[in-house]
Amino acid sequence: MDKKKIILLVGALVIALGTAFLARSLFVGASAPQAVANVAEVDVEEGDRVLVANRALPVGTIITPDAFSFQPWPKELIQQAYFLEETTNGEALLGTVVRNPITAGQPVTQGSLVKPGDRGFLAAALGAGMRAVTVPVSERTGVAGFVFPGDRIDLVLTQSVKGEDGPDLKASETIIRNLRVLATGQRTNSQDSEGNQVVSKFNTVTVEVTPKIGEKIAVAQTIGVLSLSLRSIADNEAELERAIAAGELDLPDGADPEEEEKFLRNVAVRPVDTDATFVTGGDVSRFQRRNLPSAKPARGGAKAPVSSIPAAGPPPKPKPTVRVSRGKAVTTVTVGGN
């Protein structure tokens, strides 16, 4: 091989190595340039402190001290409808009702709250399709005043059923469960400026009901005495479990997790007027009757239908029996019978 060919071959090899090295540097060795964003410092001038919701406040929520707080707000975003700390008395807003839904962190506007005594106040506190019914109570039937707006109660009906044979039947039954208290007397809030509950006397309790339950309460007031039974806060979850076990839930098709949670939450807080429990006088004292008294005769001499529940009195003594064995067949024969 001559000298010129060797020189050309070495030159081509050097060029190939150099090209390979440059390609490696471009695709492997060299790092991609990082785009650095220049953050412009925005000078936001803080204005007054405005009233902001601490949590989501749906329509009908009764405002309590933990529902809102005053927070700094940009001066250019403050509107005239906001509640400013300098000109707002926070204590005066306790007991008001949310008219329009407010999300967490959103400023509360003056038009979104309804004060007690304003037109439409009680209607704003009601959920969709619900009604307000007032129940008369006393210190004895009203849990000694320890019922506050926002609590949940059961209604217990106590009555005396008259009859001709023996004493009257004393009975008490829980007719409706899980009712939301809207007001005690004419107060929709029973908290002081520090958020502490203040026990006060009241003669009436206003509750949120469905139209059908409202009719039942109206009739129940004419039958006997209604008493309040205060429910635990943890009972809402138990009520939801009961509804699921009874097959009362019908989740909408295609609902996302947020919609399902909202649906289940609404079920847990709805009033219930089924599966009533009861206690009669015989369950409390041996000297009281346990069953319904006999029905009185109807007018015109026709005998009124007798209740299917047997009248009070000692149960009949069982007659003695004898077991007779005839081969493999065994029969029981009542002594004195046929």
Side-chain angles (χ1 to χ4, degrees), residues 171-214:
S172 178
E173 61 178 323
T174 302
I175 58 174
I176 302 169
R177 304 191 309 274
N178 203 23
L179 292 175
R180 180 169 76 112
V181 177
L182 297 176
T184 55
Q186 294 183 343
R187 302 183 60 183
T188 57
N189 181 64
S190 299
Q191 297 177 333
D192 56 15
S193 59
E194 299 180 355
N196 300 320
Q197 298 283 7
V198 179
V199 180
S200 60
K201 294 182 179 180
F202 50 85
N203 297 324
T204 58
V205 170
T206 303
V207 294
E208 183 182 43
V209 300
T210 63
K212 186 66 176 181
I213 292 179

Side-chain angles (χ1 to χ4, degrees), residues 10-22:
V10 173
L13 182 62
V14 171
I15 294 173
L17 292 175
T19 303
F21 180 77
L22 291 176

